[in-house]
């Protein structure tokens, strides 16, 4: 990599740090500076557009080019929907397109910013994001002790969130705009925490004890965070990522994962029991909302949500005209914030109609055409990551990727990616991370071959 490309790489790396920083602290900054709410809301989009400008001069290769090719195909697939949305609102067509297809730039930036020979910088990136669990959990703990009327517990619009309380405890959002965003962050960073624990160390680091202490602190912060939210998204999501990651690891490297898994489960149980004993108020909202009260309400609610997520659209789709059924009502019309920039979206939302699940949103915005295309793309991303995991030679690194793979499967399958840019960005950060680790695995294999020269022929002179 020449000097110009190296400077570009460093800029891309810095940009990724800023994007993550904005995602984590957007909510609290919007509460502190309400006058700049609109700018802060769109800041992540502006940063990703800057990423587009930067990456056009980058020399990409290998797996990164494959990601770009998939991205270009989807841009062509979306062209008819963009034109269709133009008839409703020109600005909405741009907004809607970016909701779906701006954020893959993060997945492209990742392997360029962290090539195989800069793997230590990637590990530092992972560690810093993981340690953000500590300040976000501290803010959540402070919120838990404050009244619902305190500015920190209000919505970004300054309205009360008391309606989201359970067992007399507010469902906190930490530094994020709302509880759901905090939960999605916890799901993602849970996988990065496992990367820190399972990454193979060839040499014993001098700062090993200090790093382990930081990871234990992050683990405690994660446990507090996933329960103090009071929602099942954080608990079940992190549980799926951890158990799914262990399952994939057991397939690829059973001998290496069993002992670690047992140690991890025991450590988690001890930490969970200790925190619950010392601070039961952190678990009050979750316990109340997850309690079956003898009638199986939690199980029924969760299964109902999953079922509704896939079938709710059948309740209204056939009431629309055939054009709306096939091509929807406009890209981005149901996304958060669309009413702020589009009179058409504002008019539709003012009538009281809204969508909840990702499939609901996709079909309403782009009809069956978009639903089939969008979910085919997401399923393709799952198989892309699965294929990279399957081809990895290093068992140690395949364990690391296993947890990312579990997160990608969960988010690409069930996540509300179409209407929530933060969740979309977390997904692409995970995909980019898989590419980075696969590139590193290939470099390691090449170095291994060089260090083990072919045996000389018996006929050699």
């Amino acid at each position: 990599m020449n000097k110009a490309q190296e400077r570009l790489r460093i800029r891309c790396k810095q940009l990724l740090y800023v994007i993550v920083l904005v995602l984590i602290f957007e909510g609290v900054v919007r509460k502190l500076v309400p006058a700049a709410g609109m700018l802060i809301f769109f800041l992540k989009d502006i940063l990703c557009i800057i990423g587009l400008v930067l990456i056009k001069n980058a020399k990409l290769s290998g797996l990164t080019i494959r990601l770009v090719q998939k991205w270009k195909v989807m841009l062509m697939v979306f062209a008819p929907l963009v034109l269709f949305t133009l008839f409703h609102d020109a600005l909405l067509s741009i907004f809607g397109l970016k909701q779906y297809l701006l954020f893959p730039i993060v997945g492209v930036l990742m392997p360029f910013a962290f090539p195989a020979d800069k793997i230590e910088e990637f590990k530092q990136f992972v560690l810093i994001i993981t340690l953000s669990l500590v300040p976000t959990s501290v803010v959540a703990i402070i919120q838990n002790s404050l009244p619902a009327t305190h500015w920190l517990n209000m919505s970004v619009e300054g309205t009360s969130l008391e309606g989201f309380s359970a067992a007399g405890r507010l469902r906190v959002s930490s530094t994020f705009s709302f509880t759901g965003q905090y939960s999605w962050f916890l799901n993602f960073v849970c996988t990065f925490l496992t990367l820190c624990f399972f990454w193979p160390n060839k040499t014993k680091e001098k700062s090993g004890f200090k790093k382990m202490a930081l990871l234990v602190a992050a683990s405690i912060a994660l446990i507090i965070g996933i329960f103090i939210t009071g929602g099942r998204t954080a608990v079940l999501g992190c549980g799926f990522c951890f158990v799914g990651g262990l399952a994939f690891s057991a397939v690829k490297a059973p001998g290496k994962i069993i002992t670690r898994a047992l140690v991890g489960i025991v450590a988690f149980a001890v930490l969970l029991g200790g925190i619950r004993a010392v601070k039961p108020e952190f678990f009050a909202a979750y316990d109340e909302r997850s309690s079956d009260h003898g009638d199986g309400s939690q199980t029924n609610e969760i299964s109902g949500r999953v079922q509704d997520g896939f079938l709710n659209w059948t309740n209204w789709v056939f009431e629309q005209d055939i054009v709306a059924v096939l091509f929807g009502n406009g890209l981005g019309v149901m996304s958060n914030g669309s009413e702020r920039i589009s009179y058409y979206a504002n008019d539709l939302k003012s009538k009281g109609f809204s969508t909840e699940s990702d499939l609901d949103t996709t079909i309403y915005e782009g009809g069956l055409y978009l639903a089939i295309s969008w979910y085919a793309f997401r399923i393709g991303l799952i198989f892309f990551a699965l294929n990279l995991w399957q081809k990895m030679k290093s068992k140690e690194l395949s364990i690391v990727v296993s947890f990312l793979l579990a997160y990608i499967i969960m988010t690409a399958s069930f996540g509300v990616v179409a209407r929530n840019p933060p969740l979309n960005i977390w997904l692409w950060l995970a995909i980019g991370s898989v590419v980075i680790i696969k590139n590193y695995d290939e470099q390691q294999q090449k170095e291994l071959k060089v260090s083990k020269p072919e045996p000389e022929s018996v006929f050699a002179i």
Side-chain angles (χ1 to χ4, degrees):
M1 187 177 285
N2 58 37
K3 291 183 178 180
Q5 287 293 297
E6 176 62 14
R7 286 195 297 269
L8 181 59
R9 183 194 73 81
I10 292 173
R11 290 195 193 101
C12 289
K13 181 182 72 171
Q14 293 169 340
L15 181 65
L16 285 168
Y17 272 105
V18 175
I19 289 172
V20 171
L21 189 69
V22 169
L23 287 182
I24 295 173
F25 294 102
E26 175 189 314
V28 72
V29 175
R30 288 176 67 185
K31 292 177 185 179
L32 282 169
V33 194
M38 182 69 80
L39 174 61
I40 298 167
F41 179 78
F42 285 108
L43 184 55
K44 54 186 171 293
D45 305 321
I46 295 170
L47 293 170
C48 287
I49 291 171
I50 292 172
L52 277 173
V53 175
L54 289 177
I55 206 70
K56 72 176 185 177
N57 295 318
K59 292 182 180 179
L60 305 178
S61 61
L63 296 172
T64 312
I65 292 178
R66 285 176 58 187
L67 281 180
V68 173
Q69 289 170 341
K70 292 176 185 293
W71 190 12
K72 287 180 177 179
V73 169
M74 284 307 294
L75 284 169
M76 290 187 287
V77 169
F78 267 68
L81 294 171
V82 173
L83 291 173
F84 182 77
T85 308
L86 276 172
F87 289 103
H88 295 300
D89 188 328
L91 190 57
L92 182 64
S93 66
I94 299 171
F95 176 84
L97 181 63
K98 75 91 182 168
Q99 288 291 92
Y100 287 88
L101 293 182
L102 171 61
F103 307 111
I105 185 60
V106 174
V108 176
L109 285 170
M110 284 286 284
F112 179 74
F114 302 105
D117 60 343
K118 302 291 182 181
I119 198 66
E120 292 301 319
E121 292 184 16
F122 172 68
K123 289 166 65 177
Q124 185 179 40
F125 179 73
V126 170
L127 180 61
I128 289 173
I129 294 177
T130 300
L131 293 180
S132 67
L133 279 166
V134 176
T136 53
S137 291
V138 169
V139 172
I141 291 169
I142 293 171
Q143 284 180 305
N144 190 253
S145 64
L146 293 172
T149 53
H150 193 277
W151 69 268
L152 194 58
N153 279 331
M154 303 288 274
S155 72
V156 290
E157 286 83 19
T159 57
S160 174
L161 294 174
E162 288 183 273
F164 291 90
S165 298
R169 295 285 176 177
L170 196 68
R171 294 177 58 200
V172 299
S173 59
S174 183
T175 57
F176 299 83
S177 298
F178 53 90
T179 305
Q181 284 193 9
Y182 185 29
S183 297
W184 299 328
F185 160 76
L186 291 168
N187 291 165
F188 172 77
V189 83
C190 172
T191 64
F192 265 24
L193 179 60
T194 57
L195 261 65
C196 293
F197 275 114
F198 287 105
W199 192 276
N201 285 323
K202 293 183 178 180
T203 57
K204 291 186 177 180
E205 301 175 7
K206 294 180 180 179
S207 58
F209 177 79
K210 180 181 177 181
K211 181 180 177 181
M212 184 55 64
L214 290 172
L215 292 179
V216 170
S219 301
I220 294 171
L222 176 66
I223 293 172
I224 292 173
I226 62 178
F227 285 101
I228 206 170
T229 60
R232 274 72 58 92
T233 301
V235 177
L236 297 178
C238 289
F240 182 91
C241 292
F242 185 68
V243 174
L246 290 178
F248 281 115
S249 299
V251 170
K252 204 73 181 284
K256 293 180 177 293
I257 195 64
I258 293 175
T259 303
R260 299 184 194 182
L262 290 174
V263 171
I265 292 170
V266 171
F268 174 82
V270 171
L271 288 174
L272 177 61
I275 297 169
R276 181 181 279 275
V278 175
K279 287 290 184 179
E281 62 269 25
F282 293 169
F283 300 81
Y286 175 78
D287 288 343
E288 174 64 23
R289 297 190 73 248
S290 62
S291 175
D292 284 343
H293 299 294
D295 60 359
S297 58
Q298 183 194 13
T299 305
N300 292 337
E301 182 184 349
I302 292 173
S303 61
R305 283 189 178 187
V306 174
Q307 181 177 323
D308 290 347
F310 287 102
L311 299 177
N312 256 356
W313 61 275
T314 59
N315 297 327
W316 49 261
V317 69
F318 297 112
E319 297 174 2
Q320 303 185 79
D321 60 59
I322 188 62
V323 175
V325 170
L326 293 176
F327 299 105
N329 298 277
L331 288 176
V333 71
M334 282 292 135
S335 294
N336 297 333
S338 62
E339 69 281 0
R340 301 183 185 188
I341 55 97
S342 169
Y343 65 89
Y344 171 70
N346 184 61
D347 182 57
L348 279 179
K349 289 186 175 181
S350 66
K351 295 176 181 177
F353 181 80
S354 64
T355 55
E356 292 294 331
S357 72
D358 196 80
L359 186 57
D360 253 2
T361 301
T362 303
I363 292 179
Y364 187 81
E365 292 186 351
L368 296 176
Y369 174 84
L370 177 58
I372 294 170
S373 305
W374 181 236
Y375 275 86
F377 178 57
R378 288 163 62 162
I379 292 170
L381 291 177
I382 292 174
F383 279 100
F384 173 75
L386 187 63
N387 184 50
L388 297 186
W389 168 82
Q390 189 177 13
K391 290 181 177 179
M392 294 192 70
K393 301 297 183 182
S394 168
K395 290 186 177 181
E396 294 280 2
L397 290 175
S398 67
I399 290 174
V400 172
V401 172
S402 293
F403 295 94
L404 286 167
L405 182 59
Y407 173 79
I408 291 169
I409 290 172
M410 178 187 72
T411 306
S413 300
F414 304 106
V416 192
V417 179
R419 60 186 294 176
N420 286 293
L423 185 56
N424 206 333
I425 293 173
W426 294 130
L427 173 62
W428 281 102
L429 280 169
I431 292 169
S433 296
V434 172
V435 173
I436 290 169
I437 299 170
K438 174 57 179 172
N439 288 339
Y440 178 63
D441 177 61
E442 290 180 353
Q443 184 196 64
Q444 293 293 99
Q445 296 307 312
K446 289 178 182 177
E447 291 178 358
L448 192 62
K449 288 181 179 179
V450 171
S451 64
K452 292 182 179 180
E454 294 292 329
E456 294 185 5
S457 168
V458 293
F459 300 106
I461 298 175

